[in-house]
Amino acid sequence: MTEEKLSTFTAPKGTYDLLPPSSATFLAIRQALAAPLRRAGYGYIETPVFEDTKLFSRGVGESTDIVTKEMFTLTQRGSEALALRPEGTASVVRAVLQANLHKLGNLPVKVWYSGNFYRYERPQKGRYRQFSQVGAEALGAEDPALDAELIILADDAFRSLGLTDYRLLLNSLGDKQCRPVYRAALVDFLAGLDLDEDTRRRAEINPLRVLDDKREAVQAQLVGAPMLRDFLCEDCKAYDEQVRALLTAAGVAFVDDPKLVRGLDYYTRTTFEFVHNGLGAQSAIGGGGRYDGLSEMLGGPALPSVGWGLGVDRIFLALEAEEITLDLPATTSVYAVALGEEAKNVLFAKVTELRRAGVATDLAFGVKGLKNAMKSADRSGARFALVAGDRDLAEGVVQLKDMTTGEQAPVALEALVTTLKEKQL
């Protein structure tokens, strides 16, 4: 007996294949995240998976790890450098500006997207080099109710999936009026710390990002650091209080996190993150905030905006952590088993008819023998099995077997579709 040769190819490091049956859960997660957005007037948008590298370096920030260490860059004929998208917001803003959606007179422009994103990171559970997100952006309005709306829509989506063991972290990053004052105070504080070369360089370019450093040695030195909340101007304070009041009125609980700054340069004012208690180090299942200056950074007009991205991969792990099994419709409701070639031709036609009538139906292909075919029917998860041989066809019937109770009865071939539809399949 010769040993079967395995493929020499495997999925690239930091990626994984999405396969049945777990892939059905991924699809259900995406649908659950999108459903509240559709009800709130968000239209679907899809952008290329690669863009001009400068779009991300300018929009995401030159000092971010995403731009300096994590982007997958592409080589092409010509001089323009391209990169696989590491996040969705910059691409969406670019697309809205390019298509002049903001000039159609109906602001904010509300869009949602779903797709894969790419970062060259150290692979670990919950952190992959290709990851899936559902995102939403509302562009062209400076309104605390819009910030609250998006946070509530994300919370509604998590609740619809049955998730409960998560927290919403909330902070305000101020605006161009008050943040420079805070930045100067933070720079003075950081100058007195014992930081390594890379961290000190980061502190010079974007000192707020040092607050987001996860290393315990750095966090220990940040005790007593000035907090942005203490430097907010009156407008930013009022804006922040209104967001919080709207969330509280909607029954959405949150936790103040004065060190929450997000990893991207474009955020202003409202910033938030959803973290799950069952995921360990990679606990964030989604986050976002307001980014009032991004459009101008990309060469567009002033277009105050807010948005978020929710991680499908991490939400899948969160469902596992809470031992939640989604109630998914069966992929197959009826499984047809033909005994003989003539029966197969007849049942094949009926299978097609059932599918066109909206009944999820499959057929035993290439299976020899009734016993093996019925095992396949059982593995399919079908509620009913159709079994037909030459004798059944001569009588104009097929045998309909309830796979749950084991009961079996003949059904007239001509009445088969109607009979199964009546069983609410």
Side-chain angles (χ1 to χ4, degrees):
M1 183 176 178
T2 59
E3 187 176 329
E4 185 179 352
K5 185 179 179 181
L6 298 175
S7 169
T8 56
F9 296 103
T10 58
K13 184 177 181 181
T15 69
Y16 63 94
D17 297 308
L18 192 54
L19 305 170
S22 60
S23 54
T25 300
F26 266 74
L27 287 174
I29 291 171
R30 290 186 184 125
Q31 290 164 359
L33 299 182
L37 297 168
R38 290 196 183 103
R39 292 194 295 267
Y42 288 73
Y44 184 69
I45 188 172
E46 192 166 312
T47 62
V49 297
F50 54 87
E51 298 263 12
D52 188 319
T53 302
K54 292 193 292 293
L55 173 67
F56 302 117
S57 60
R58 193 179 300 174
V60 175
E62 292 278 9
S63 69
T64 62
D65 286 347
I66 292 173
V67 169
T68 59
K69 300 176 182 177
E70 297 171 3
M71 279 208 300
F72 283 94
T73 54
L74 307 173
T75 56
Q76 65 163 350
R77 293 169 184 167
S79 57
E80 295 299 319
L82 299 175
L84 295 179
R85 59 188 184 190
E87 57 91 47
T89 303
S91 295
V92 168
V93 175
R94 190 270 309 150
V96 168
L97 293 175
Q98 183 177 337
N100 288 317
L101 297 186
H102 58 297
K103 294 182 179 180
L104 300 182
N106 191 22
L107 295 177
V109 177
K110 296 166 76 171
V111 293
W112 73 276
Y113 55 88
S114 176
N116 291 328
F117 300 86
Y118 307 86
R119 296 183 190 176
Y120 190 81
E121 306 201 70
R122 183 170 60 85
Q124 53 188 292
K125 188 174 183 179
R127 187 181 286 275
Y128 309 107
R129 292 178 174 176
Q130 175 179 295
F131 55 96
S132 178
Q133 281 190 348
V134 170
E137 316 289 348
L139 304 96
E142 186 179 11
D143 188 335
L146 201 55
D147 303 33
E149 172 182 276
L150 273 162
I151 294 172
I152 292 166
L153 292 174
D155 189 67
D156 286 349
F158 292 142
R159 292 187 190 198
S160 75
L161 288 165
L163 292 173
T164 58
D165 193 20
Y166 64 89
R167 294 168 293 135
L168 167 62
L169 309 180
L170 193 61
N171 193 22
S172 175
L173 297 182
D175 62 10
K176 59 185 178 183
Q177 302 301 322
C178 55
R179 196 150 82 185
V181 181
Y182 170 69
R183 187 184 190 280
L186 183 60
V187 167
D188 287 344
F189 176 83
L190 295 176
L193 303 185
D194 181 21
L195 302 174
D196 61 80
E197 186 96 10
D198 280 350
T199 307
R200 191 163 296 284
R201 192 178 305 113
R202 187 181 300 129
E204 291 172 1
I205 301 171
N206 187 351
L208 271 71
R209 293 204 59 247
V210 180
L211 298 178
D212 201 33
D213 198 306
K214 299 297 187 288
R215 291 172 296 177
E216 290 183 11
V218 176
Q219 284 297 322
Q221 295 189 70
L222 292 175
V223 175
M227 291 290 104
L228 211 160
R229 179 162 300 284
D230 299 325
F231 289 77
L232 293 180
C233 62
E234 291 305 314
D235 285 348
C236 285
K237 281 182 185 176
Y239 194 99
D240 188 44
E241 287 169 4
Q242 183 65 13
V243 171
R244 289 159 188 262
L246 291 168
L247 293 178
T248 301
V252 177
F254 55 85
V255 178
D256 287 318
D257 186 351
K259 287 186 178 179
L260 179 66
V261 298
R262 310 290 297 146
L264 310 179
D265 284 358
Y266 51 61
Y267 283 112
T268 57
R269 287 193 172 174
T270 307
T271 186
F272 56 90
E273 189 165 271
F274 289 92
V275 294
H276 194 275
N277 299 323
L279 297 187
Q282 306 304 323
S283 61
I285 55 176
R290 177 156 285 279
Y291 49 94
D292 289 346
L294 180 56
S295 174
E296 292 166 279
M297 291 166 66
L298 299 181
L303 203 64
S305 306
V306 60
W308 50 241
L310 308 181
V312 179
D313 313 80
R314 300 248 183 109
I315 293 168
F316 181 89
L317 295 175
L319 291 172
E320 284 188 336
E322 293 195 41
E323 298 183 344
I324 295 171
T325 301
L326 299 183
D327 185 17
L328 303 177
T331 54
T332 305
S333 298
V334 177
Y335 195 92
V337 176
L339 305 176
E341 282 303 312
E342 184 182 350
K344 187 170 186 179
N345 290 336
V346 172
L347 280 189
F348 185 85
K350 282 296 173 184
V351 165
T352 300
E353 191 178 344
L354 282 165
R355 288 171 178 168
R356 288 172 176 170
V359 179
T361 311
D362 203 355
L363 179 69
F365 292 97
V367 179
K368 295 180 179 178
L370 179 61
K371 185 177 180 180
N372 285 337
M374 292 309 292
K375 283 183 179 178
S376 296
D378 191 50
R379 282 193 293 265
S380 76
R383 184 178 163 194
F384 293 100
L386 294 178
V387 184
D390 293 342
R391 183 183 300 173
D392 297 306
L393 295 180
E395 297 176 5
V397 300
V398 293
Q399 301 297 322
L400 183 63
K401 180 177 181 179
D402 188 316
M403 298 299 288
T404 304
T405 64
E407 295 177 2
Q408 182 172 310
V411 175
L413 196 60
E414 295 304 317
L416 179 61
V417 175
T418 304
T419 301
L420 286 170
K421 289 286 284 184
E422 287 174 352
K423 295 181 182 294
Q424 298 182 333
L425 292 179

